[in-house]
Amino acid sequence: DGGITQSPKYLFRKEGQNVTLSCEQNLNHDAMYWYRQDPGQGLRLIYYSQIVNDFQKGDIAEGYSVSREKKESFPLTVTSAQKNPTAFYLCASSTGTSGNTIYFGEGSWLTVV
Amino acid sequence: EDQVTQSPEALRLQEGESSSLNCSYTVSGLRGLFWYRQDPGKGPEFLFTLYSAGEEKEKERLKATLTKKESFLHITAPKPEDSATYLCAVPNQAGTALIFGKGTTLSVSS
């Protein structure tokens, strides 16, 4: 089945540790996104990529990094510089930008311990 | 600044009690308004896209409508399985990503 796969579903991070969230899609979509969701908050854009080997910062990129080496994959690294990383992270993709429908993965929960 | 505001934040209905959710936006040159449903602990599921004022779309007990400044999601005779958070979103000014409202959490009791 076509879709977006995020892993792991649950992840625990120790203080000062970097962690990487995986996102893979087999929809042949060009654009991919990472959003963060906190309780009572809307989704906030971390990074997006419109094409392989190119990505742009979103509204809350500080403390995060991404790569886009393959069309299917858009991993997100939460670095130790991110002071409040506990949140629900959502990866998404679309056929392009400019108002195209975006489709989401099932999300990854990150907790700092 | 582009903004999307949803109201109410929470809505409790009895089964069969129809109501509407509101989404207002300030982005100019709208290139689509999107509605999603999100169940707890899950990613948002796409419901509808509306592109022009006056447009309507329906799916089961849900009907979405669009004016120049807002959209409504009408829920007719809801059932408990309609309980979820409903999110609306619009493209940002650059058209590079979607801006989301904070959502309306709907609870339908039998």
Side-chain angles (χ1 to χ4, degrees), chain B residues 76-99:
Chain B
T76 301
K79 296 182 178 181
E81 52 262 42
D82 295 321
S83 298
T85 296
Y86 291 86
L87 302 169
C88 75
V90 299
N92 60 16
Q93 198 66 46
T96 51
L98 293 183
I99 303 170

PDB file of all heavy atoms in Angstrom, chain B residues 76-99:
ATOM      1  N   THR B  76     -24.008  16.730  10.366  1.00  0.00           N
ATOM      2  CA  THR B  76     -25.440  16.420  10.438  1.00  0.00           C
ATOM      3  C   THR B  76     -25.647  15.083  11.122  1.00  0.00           C
ATOM      4  O   THR B  76     -25.036  14.083  10.745  1.00  0.00           O
ATOM      5  CB  THR B  76     -26.037  16.383   9.026  1.00  0.00           C
ATOM      6  OG1 THR B  76     -25.829  17.643   8.392  1.00  0.00           O
ATOM      7  CG2 THR B  76     -27.530  16.092   9.082  1.00  0.00           C
ATOM      8  N   ALA B  77     -26.493  15.093  12.160  1.00  0.00           N
ATOM      9  CA  ALA B  77     -26.815  13.863  12.901  1.00  0.00           C
ATOM     10  C   ALA B  77     -25.565  13.078  13.251  1.00  0.00           C
ATOM     11  O   ALA B  77     -25.394  11.920  12.824  1.00  0.00           O
ATOM     12  CB  ALA B  77     -27.801  13.019  12.104  1.00  0.00           C
ATOM     13  N   PRO B  78     -24.644  13.678  14.017  1.00  0.00           N
ATOM     14  CA  PRO B  78     -23.365  13.013  14.305  1.00  0.00           C
ATOM     15  C   PRO B  78     -23.545  11.742  15.122  1.00  0.00           C
ATOM     16  O   PRO B  78     -24.507  11.590  15.881  1.00  0.00           O
ATOM     17  CB  PRO B  78     -22.590  14.075  15.092  1.00  0.00           C
ATOM     18  CG  PRO B  78     -23.635  14.918  15.719  1.00  0.00           C
ATOM     19  CD  PRO B  78     -24.757  14.974  14.719  1.00  0.00           C
ATOM     20  N   LYS B  79     -22.550  10.859  14.959  1.00  0.00           N
ATOM     21  CA  LYS B  79     -22.479   9.625  15.711  1.00  0.00           C
ATOM     22  C   LYS B  79     -21.221   9.654  16.574  1.00  0.00           C
ATOM     23  O   LYS B  79     -20.302  10.425  16.298  1.00  0.00           O
ATOM     24  CB  LYS B  79     -22.438   8.434  14.758  1.00  0.00           C
ATOM     25  CG  LYS B  79     -23.693   8.278  13.906  1.00  0.00           C
ATOM     26  CD  LYS B  79     -23.595   7.042  13.035  1.00  0.00           C
ATOM     27  CE  LYS B  79     -24.876   6.862  12.216  1.00  0.00           C
ATOM     28  NZ  LYS B  79     -24.819   5.635  11.371  1.00  0.00           N
ATOM     29  N   PRO B  80     -21.144   8.807  17.599  1.00  0.00           N
ATOM     30  CA  PRO B  80     -19.948   8.799  18.456  1.00  0.00           C
ATOM     31  C   PRO B  80     -18.652   8.619  17.679  1.00  0.00           C
ATOM     32  O   PRO B  80     -17.610   9.179  18.060  1.00  0.00           O
ATOM     33  CB  PRO B  80     -20.215   7.621  19.391  1.00  0.00           C
ATOM     34  CG  PRO B  80     -21.697   7.574  19.520  1.00  0.00           C
ATOM     35  CD  PRO B  80     -22.214   7.936  18.148  1.00  0.00           C
ATOM     36  N   GLU B  81     -18.685   7.888  16.581  1.00  0.00           N
ATOM     37  CA  GLU B  81     -17.460   7.673  15.795  1.00  0.00           C
ATOM     38  C   GLU B  81     -16.985   8.935  15.066  1.00  0.00           C
ATOM     39  O   GLU B  81     -15.890   8.941  14.503  1.00  0.00           O
ATOM     40  CB  GLU B  81     -17.638   6.535  14.786  1.00  0.00           C
ATOM     41  CG  GLU B  81     -18.841   6.645  13.890  1.00  0.00           C
ATOM     42  CD  GLU B  81     -20.012   5.821  14.384  1.00  0.00           C
ATOM     43  OE1 GLU B  81     -20.268   5.811  15.616  1.00  0.00           O
ATOM     44  OE2 GLU B  81     -20.679   5.195  13.552  1.00  0.00           O
ATOM     45  N   ASP B  82     -17.777   9.984  15.091  1.00  0.00           N
ATOM     46  CA  ASP B  82     -17.352  11.267  14.526  1.00  0.00           C
ATOM     47  C   ASP B  82     -16.493  12.066  15.513  1.00  0.00           C
ATOM     48  O   ASP B  82     -15.952  13.116  15.154  1.00  0.00           O
ATOM     49  CB  ASP B  82     -18.561  12.109  14.114  1.00  0.00           C
ATOM     50  CG  ASP B  82     -19.350  11.479  12.979  1.00  0.00           C
ATOM     51  OD1 ASP B  82     -18.719  10.925  12.066  1.00  0.00           O
ATOM     52  OD2 ASP B  82     -20.589  11.530  13.026  1.00  0.00           O
ATOM     53  N   SER B  83     -16.381  11.572  16.730  1.00  0.00           N
ATOM     54  CA  SER B  83     -15.563  12.243  17.740  1.00  0.00           C
ATOM     55  C   SER B  83     -14.105  12.261  17.301  1.00  0.00           C
ATOM     56  O   SER B  83     -13.525  11.213  16.997  1.00  0.00           O
ATOM     57  CB  SER B  83     -15.680  11.538  19.094  1.00  0.00           C
ATOM     58  OG  SER B  83     -17.020  11.576  19.555  1.00  0.00           O
ATOM     59  N   ALA B  84     -13.519  13.442  17.248  1.00  0.00           N
ATOM     60  CA  ALA B  84     -12.137  13.626  16.785  1.00  0.00           C
ATOM     61  C   ALA B  84     -11.814  15.115  16.884  1.00  0.00           C
ATOM     62  O   ALA B  84     -12.682  15.927  17.211  1.00  0.00           O
ATOM     63  CB  ALA B  84     -11.975  13.156  15.338  1.00  0.00           C
ATOM     64  N   THR B  85     -10.585  15.445  16.557  1.00  0.00           N
ATOM     65  CA  THR B  85     -10.210  16.856  16.386  1.00  0.00           C
ATOM     66  C   THR B  85     -10.221  17.173  14.907  1.00  0.00           C
ATOM     67  O   THR B  85      -9.645  16.434  14.106  1.00  0.00           O
ATOM     68  CB  THR B  85      -8.827  17.137  16.989  1.00  0.00           C
ATOM     69  OG1 THR B  85      -8.878  16.919  18.399  1.00  0.00           O
ATOM     70  CG2 THR B  85      -8.404  18.578  16.724  1.00  0.00           C
ATOM     71  N   TYR B  86     -10.882  18.253  14.548  1.00  0.00           N
ATOM     72  CA  TYR B  86     -10.985  18.664  13.153  1.00  0.00           C
ATOM     73  C   TYR B  86     -10.096  19.890  12.940  1.00  0.00           C
ATOM     74  O   TYR B  86     -10.219  20.893  13.645  1.00  0.00           O
ATOM     75  CB  TYR B  86     -12.433  18.942  12.776  1.00  0.00           C
ATOM     76  CG  TYR B  86     -13.252  17.670  12.763  1.00  0.00           C
ATOM     77  CD1 TYR B  86     -13.838  17.189  13.929  1.00  0.00           C
ATOM     78  CD2 TYR B  86     -13.388  16.926  11.601  1.00  0.00           C
ATOM     79  CE1 TYR B  86     -14.559  15.997  13.928  1.00  0.00           C
ATOM     80  CE2 TYR B  86     -14.108  15.738  11.586  1.00  0.00           C
ATOM     81  CZ  TYR B  86     -14.685  15.277  12.758  1.00  0.00           C
ATOM     82  OH  TYR B  86     -15.385  14.095  12.756  1.00  0.00           O
ATOM     83  N   LEU B  87      -9.198  19.777  11.978  1.00  0.00           N
ATOM     84  CA  LEU B  87      -8.224  20.826  11.689  1.00  0.00           C
ATOM     85  C   LEU B  87      -8.512  21.439  10.329  1.00  0.00           C
ATOM     86  O   LEU B  87      -8.874  20.732   9.396  1.00  0.00           O
ATOM     87  CB  LEU B  87      -6.810  20.237  11.652  1.00  0.00           C
ATOM     88  CG  LEU B  87      -6.309  19.521  12.902  1.00  0.00           C
ATOM     89  CD1 LEU B  87      -5.022  18.766  12.591  1.00  0.00           C
ATOM     90  CD2 LEU B  87      -6.066  20.524  14.012  1.00  0.00           C
ATOM     91  N   CYS B  88      -8.343  22.745  10.239  1.00  0.00           N
ATOM     92  CA  CYS B  88      -8.379  23.360   8.918  1.00  0.00           C
ATOM     93  C   CYS B  88      -7.037  24.026   8.649  1.00  0.00           C
ATOM     94  O   CYS B  88      -6.285  24.352   9.581  1.00  0.00           O
ATOM     95  CB  CYS B  88      -9.526  24.352   8.757  1.00  0.00           C
ATOM     96  SG  CYS B  88      -9.323  25.928   9.566  1.00  0.00           S
ATOM     97  N   ALA B  89      -6.719  24.199   7.379  1.00  0.00           N
ATOM     98  CA  ALA B  89      -5.420  24.726   6.993  1.00  0.00           C
ATOM     99  C   ALA B  89      -5.528  25.449   5.662  1.00  0.00           C
ATOM    100  O   ALA B  89      -6.377  25.124   4.825  1.00  0.00           O
ATOM    101  CB  ALA B  89      -4.401  23.595   6.885  1.00  0.00           C
ATOM    102  N   VAL B  90      -4.635  26.434   5.475  1.00  0.00           N
ATOM    103  CA  VAL B  90      -4.534  27.143   4.205  1.00  0.00           C
ATOM    104  C   VAL B  90      -3.071  27.222   3.813  1.00  0.00           C
ATOM    105  O   VAL B  90      -2.195  27.190   4.685  1.00  0.00           O
ATOM    106  CB  VAL B  90      -5.131  28.560   4.279  1.00  0.00           C
ATOM    107  CG1 VAL B  90      -6.615  28.504   4.635  1.00  0.00           C
ATOM    108  CG2 VAL B  90      -4.379  29.440   5.259  1.00  0.00           C
ATOM    109  N   PRO B  91      -2.754  27.345   2.535  1.00  0.00           N
ATOM    110  CA  PRO B  91      -1.354  27.527   2.125  1.00  0.00           C
ATOM    111  C   PRO B  91      -0.820  28.865   2.622  1.00  0.00           C
ATOM    112  O   PRO B  91      -1.562  29.858   2.683  1.00  0.00           O
ATOM    113  CB  PRO B  91      -1.431  27.519   0.588  1.00  0.00           C
ATOM    114  CG  PRO B  91      -2.693  26.811   0.277  1.00  0.00           C
ATOM    115  CD  PRO B  91      -3.637  27.172   1.384  1.00  0.00           C
ATOM    116  N   ASN B  92       0.460  28.898   2.979  1.00  0.00           N
ATOM    117  CA  ASN B  92       1.065  30.164   3.361  1.00  0.00           C
ATOM    118  C   ASN B  92       1.203  31.068   2.136  1.00  0.00           C
ATOM    119  O   ASN B  92       0.930  30.659   1.004  1.00  0.00           O
ATOM    120  CB  ASN B  92       2.404  29.954   4.073  1.00  0.00           C
ATOM    121  CG  ASN B  92       3.425  29.217   3.207  1.00  0.00           C
ATOM    122  OD1 ASN B  92       3.260  29.109   1.989  1.00  0.00           O
ATOM    123  ND2 ASN B  92       4.475  28.722   3.831  1.00  0.00           N
ATOM    124  N   GLN B  93       1.616  32.298   2.387  1.00  0.00           N
ATOM    125  CA  GLN B  93       1.650  33.291   1.297  1.00  0.00           C
ATOM    126  C   GLN B  93       2.536  32.838   0.136  1.00  0.00           C
ATOM    127  O   GLN B  93       2.223  33.075  -1.026  1.00  0.00           O
ATOM    128  CB  GLN B  93       2.159  34.633   1.847  1.00  0.00           C
ATOM    129  CG  GLN B  93       1.837  35.809   0.950  1.00  0.00           C
ATOM    130  CD  GLN B  93       0.361  36.080   0.855  1.00  0.00           C
ATOM    131  OE1 GLN B  93      -0.354  36.109   1.862  1.00  0.00           O
ATOM    132  NE2 GLN B  93      -0.131  36.268  -0.351  1.00  0.00           N
ATOM    133  N   ALA B  94       3.630  32.149   0.479  1.00  0.00           N
ATOM    134  CA  ALA B  94       4.557  31.673  -0.555  1.00  0.00           C
ATOM    135  C   ALA B  94       4.057  30.413  -1.241  1.00  0.00           C
ATOM    136  O   ALA B  94       4.615  30.009  -2.268  1.00  0.00           O
ATOM    137  CB  ALA B  94       5.929  31.410   0.061  1.00  0.00           C
ATOM    138  N   GLY B  95       3.020  29.793  -0.687  1.00  0.00           N
ATOM    139  CA  GLY B  95       2.498  28.566  -1.265  1.00  0.00           C
ATOM    140  C   GLY B  95       3.379  27.360  -1.050  1.00  0.00           C
ATOM    141  O   GLY B  95       3.270  26.372  -1.771  1.00  0.00           O
ATOM    142  N   THR B  96       4.262  27.420  -0.046  1.00  0.00           N
ATOM    143  CA  THR B  96       5.235  26.346   0.144  1.00  0.00           C
ATOM    144  C   THR B  96       4.815  25.320   1.185  1.00  0.00           C
ATOM    145  O   THR B  96       5.406  24.248   1.250  1.00  0.00           O
ATOM    146  CB  THR B  96       6.585  26.941   0.562  1.00  0.00           C
ATOM    147  OG1 THR B  96       6.395  27.823   1.667  1.00  0.00           O
ATOM    148  CG2 THR B  96       7.223  27.703  -0.594  1.00  0.00           C
ATOM    149  N   ALA B  97       3.842  25.645   2.011  1.00  0.00           N
ATOM    150  CA  ALA B  97       3.395  24.715   3.057  1.00  0.00           C
ATOM    151  C   ALA B  97       2.025  25.157   3.548  1.00  0.00           C
ATOM    152  O   ALA B  97       1.536  26.219   3.179  1.00  0.00           O
ATOM    153  CB  ALA B  97       4.392  24.675   4.211  1.00  0.00           C
ATOM    154  N   LEU B  98       1.391  24.324   4.375  1.00  0.00           N
ATOM    155  CA  LEU B  98       0.091  24.652   4.947  1.00  0.00           C
ATOM    156  C   LEU B  98       0.243  25.242   6.344  1.00  0.00           C
ATOM    157  O   LEU B  98       1.098  24.814   7.123  1.00  0.00           O
ATOM    158  CB  LEU B  98      -0.788  23.405   5.030  1.00  0.00           C
ATOM    159  CG  LEU B  98      -1.238  22.779   3.713  1.00  0.00           C
ATOM    160  CD1 LEU B  98      -2.166  21.592   3.978  1.00  0.00           C
ATOM    161  CD2 LEU B  98      -1.909  23.796   2.811  1.00  0.00           C
ATOM    162  N   ILE B  99      -0.599  26.234   6.634  1.00  0.00           N
ATOM    163  CA  ILE B  99      -0.705  26.806   7.975  1.00  0.00           C
ATOM    164  C   ILE B  99      -1.968  26.216   8.595  1.00  0.00           C
ATOM    165  O   ILE B  99      -3.045  26.278   7.985  1.00  0.00           O
ATOM    166  CB  ILE B  99      -0.855  28.331   7.927  1.00  0.00           C
ATOM    167  CG1 ILE B  99       0.296  28.973   7.174  1.00  0.00           C
ATOM    168  CG2 ILE B  99      -0.947  28.905   9.335  1.00  0.00           C
ATOM    169  CD1 ILE B  99       0.066  30.436   6.894  1.00  0.00           C
TER     170      ILE B  99
END
